[in-house]
Amino acid sequence: MDEPAAIGRRVQRMRTDLGLTQRKLAEPSYTSAYISTLESGKVRPSEAALRFLAGRLGTSYEELTTGRPVHLATELRLSLTDAQQTLASGAADEAAAHFRRLLAEARRLGLAPEQAQALLGLGDCALESGELPEAIVNFEAAERLLADEPLTRRARPIRGRAIAHLLAGELRYACYLLESAIDELGASGLADPEALVLLYAAVIGPYIDMGAHARAAHAAELALSLAPQVSDPALVAGMHRQVARTFLAEGRVADADASLAKAQAIYGQLQLRTDLAHCHWMRGYVQAQNGDLASAERELRTARDMLSARRAALYTAQVEVELADVLRQLGRYEEAAGLLSALLELGDSHGAVHAGGAHRLLGLMAEERGEIESAEEHYVQALALLERSGATGDLADLCRLLGDLLRRTGRPEAALDAYRTGLGHRAAPGTTTLGPAPAAPAFPPIRPAPR
């Protein structure tokens, strides 16, 4: 709301444009003296007075208090929705240009909620294109704009920031952000189903990567129980996609595939191309785990082509790790190695977990070809990357591979060290280093409708 003097001048201008006297404007609720005092800027009018005057002047409360025509904010929100659809069905760079224009317009108009929405869109664009530091900056800026809003409004930027840290290989910090938000929602009594499903679905991935399968399963169970209370179909589809990961961890392949099919159907209807690509990716992973390598290759290639067409570089690289593993199992080593060599450039800043996965696969292929020194070198590089990320399950498996290699080459002491390292990462199954898991949300009991 503007200062009293600015509001007073605006009331006077609108009144004279309409040819109204101060008495005519004031009746029947106020006096001409009050209008005179208000127009001179000597009184801060109440909301009730401003809403009365807006009605008499034929304008909106927002325009009277800020000077902004209400249609500008509405048009800006519609344009933000269009930009989000462009991101869902088009290229991230095109959507980012749209969001930047809208951010500048929202700043010019002084519309904080719309600025936050544009920053969220820019964060999502940066996530898709693999620009993780830029994504984090945008999500943090959105959080600052929403600092005075309830946590339910801040759930999206928190989730976005957590995903950016997850993709950068900072699994523990991603868990910390999401778990803290979940706990705060419960403690504040703001157990909003949509915000909780958003956060629970996001935390499943880092839990599984860290070997915290019990926590992942619990988060999936809670997300599924809340899903009927969520009206956003894209959010429900994303939840099904993440829940499929917990089914896989429990060996429930058919349930995982069914959950992915539900997500795929929703994404197809909504034309959300990136999310649909993620479903092809996960289904390919499920089929590979089930031994159906030909189907897995088809699904993973479809996912890679869809993501590559959208220039989603980081997600494309992650799919290529899975595809290379399928090609390795099919005996197509040269093709697999060609995919993996480009992924080694990911390093620490863009997906240490997946660069580590690439080294692991190159090590496996080298070992299967009898190239022991090369295999050991790749395993050691993978170990260094994964230790920094905290990917517990992957670390334990890698330590087993390295230990077996060292044992077969006559280095039992070094093999024991590798095995101990792996056991250390498996010492506390189902937990992270973050202390107790978030408490389950408390919802009031649903009372039956009166008869």
Side-chain angles (χ1 to χ4, degrees):
M1 183 184 295
D2 285 345
E3 290 301 311
I7 294 173
R9 287 192 298 270
R10 198 170 296 128
V11 169
Q12 184 179 40
R13 175 178 55 78
M14 291 181 175
R15 176 180 63 77
T16 54
D17 286 347
L18 291 172
L20 297 176
T21 63
Q22 290 179 335
R23 175 171 293 180
K24 190 68 174 176
L25 176 61
E27 293 176 344
S29 301
Y30 297 93
T31 65
S32 58
Y34 176 75
I35 299 299
S36 177
T37 306
L38 187 154
E39 289 183 348
S40 65
K42 295 177 180 176
V43 64
R44 178 175 291 278
S46 66
E47 181 180 340
L50 287 169
R51 290 193 181 279
F52 168 81
L53 293 173
R56 297 284 289 147
L57 293 166
T59 188
S60 67
Y61 171 80
E62 182 178 22
E63 184 171 0
L64 188 62
T65 54
T66 66
R68 293 188 298 266
V70 68
H71 70 87
L72 291 180
T74 302
E75 288 171 3
L76 185 58
R77 284 191 284 272
L78 287 171
S79 296
L80 285 164
T81 303
D82 291 341
Q84 196 65 47
Q85 184 58 38
T86 300
L87 176 59
S89 57
D93 54 356
E94 181 185 350
H98 199 170
F99 279 121
R100 278 192 288 272
R101 288 195 299 271
L102 295 172
L103 177 60
E105 181 67 6
R107 282 174 174 161
R108 185 182 69 80
L109 295 172
L111 298 171
E114 286 71 23
Q115 290 179 57
Q117 191 70 19
L119 286 164
L120 281 170
L122 285 170
D124 288 336
C125 291
L127 276 184
E128 182 149 319
S129 59
E131 300 297 329
L132 302 182
E134 183 181 337
I136 291 169
V137 166
N138 284 312
F139 288 129
E140 286 178 340
E143 275 190 78
R144 286 194 295 272
L145 279 169
L146 299 172
D148 295 329
E149 297 288 332
L151 181 57
T152 51
R153 292 286 308 280
R154 290 182 277 122
R156 269 196 67 198
I158 291 170
R159 175 239 186 213
R161 191 154 58 97
I163 289 176
H165 285 290
L166 169 64
L167 292 174
E170 300 164 7
L171 277 66
R172 287 189 177 88
Y173 188 59
C175 283
Y176 165 76
L177 288 173
L178 294 165
E179 288 188 343
S180 298
I182 291 168
D183 267 336
E184 189 179 341
L185 276 172
S188 62
L190 297 172
D192 177 78
E194 191 158 306
L196 284 168
V197 167
L198 188 76
L199 297 169
Y200 278 127
V203 83
I204 288 170
Y207 276 161
I208 288 179
D209 287 341
M210 292 180 70
H213 293 161
R215 285 198 185 189
H218 185 56
E221 179 185 341
L222 289 168
L224 284 170
S225 70
L226 293 169
Q229 301 177 56
V230 175
S231 58
D232 181 355
L235 178 55
V236 173
M239 180 272 298
H240 280 299
R241 199 177 79 212
Q242 293 300 328
V243 165
R245 298 191 67 180
T246 67
F247 288 147
L248 273 180
E250 296 170 357
R252 296 162 60 184
V253 176
D255 287 335
D257 201 48
S259 193
L260 287 171
K262 290 177 185 176
Q264 207 164 348
I266 296 172
Y267 288 139
Q269 291 166 6
L270 297 175
Q271 296 184 324
L272 301 179
R273 300 289 292 170
T274 298
D275 294 303
L276 187 57
H278 279 253
C279 283
H280 284 292
W281 172 8
M282 281 294 293
R283 293 195 83 177
Y285 179 78
V286 169
Q287 287 158 350
Q289 296 297 303
N290 210 26
D292 187 355
L293 298 180
S295 296
E297 183 184 357
R298 283 195 299 273
E299 291 283 1
L300 290 170
R301 285 192 184 280
T302 298
R304 186 191 62 170
D305 292 347
M306 292 173 74
L307 291 167
S308 179
R310 292 174 55 78
R311 295 191 283 278
L314 186 55
Y315 288 132
T316 302
Q318 293 173 26
V319 173
E320 286 176 341
V321 173
E322 305 293 347
L323 179 57
D325 196 17
V326 169
L327 294 173
R328 178 190 69 83
Q329 293 177 67
L330 289 168
R332 291 151 61 184
Y333 282 16
E334 288 188 15
E335 201 175 344
L339 282 176
L340 294 169
S341 60
L343 304 181
L344 299 183
E345 299 176 5
L346 290 175
D348 288 344
S349 61
H350 287 75
V353 173
H354 306 287
H359 276 295
R360 173 187 172 279
L361 285 175
L362 286 166
L364 272 174
M365 290 191 292
E367 189 173 357
E368 289 164 358
R369 289 193 301 262
E371 300 169 3
I372 301 305
E373 288 185 10
S374 177
E376 183 177 345
E377 182 180 337
H378 281 300
Y379 287 155
V380 169
Q381 290 185 61
L383 187 62
L385 285 164
L386 294 176
E387 278 187 321
R388 283 194 287 276
S389 72
T392 309
D394 291 340
L395 269 167
D397 176 64
L398 183 64
C399 289
R400 177 187 61 78
L401 290 172
L402 179 59
D404 289 350
L405 176 67
L406 294 168
R407 181 172 53 80
R408 284 196 298 271
T409 53
R411 289 173 283 174
E413 290 300 322
L416 281 171
D417 285 342
Y419 290 142
R420 288 188 190 102
T421 300
L423 287 171
H425 290 297
R426 279 301 206 189
T431 65
T432 68
T433 59
L434 305 175
F443 287 96
I446 299 174
R447 298 179 180 177
R451 300 190 178 186

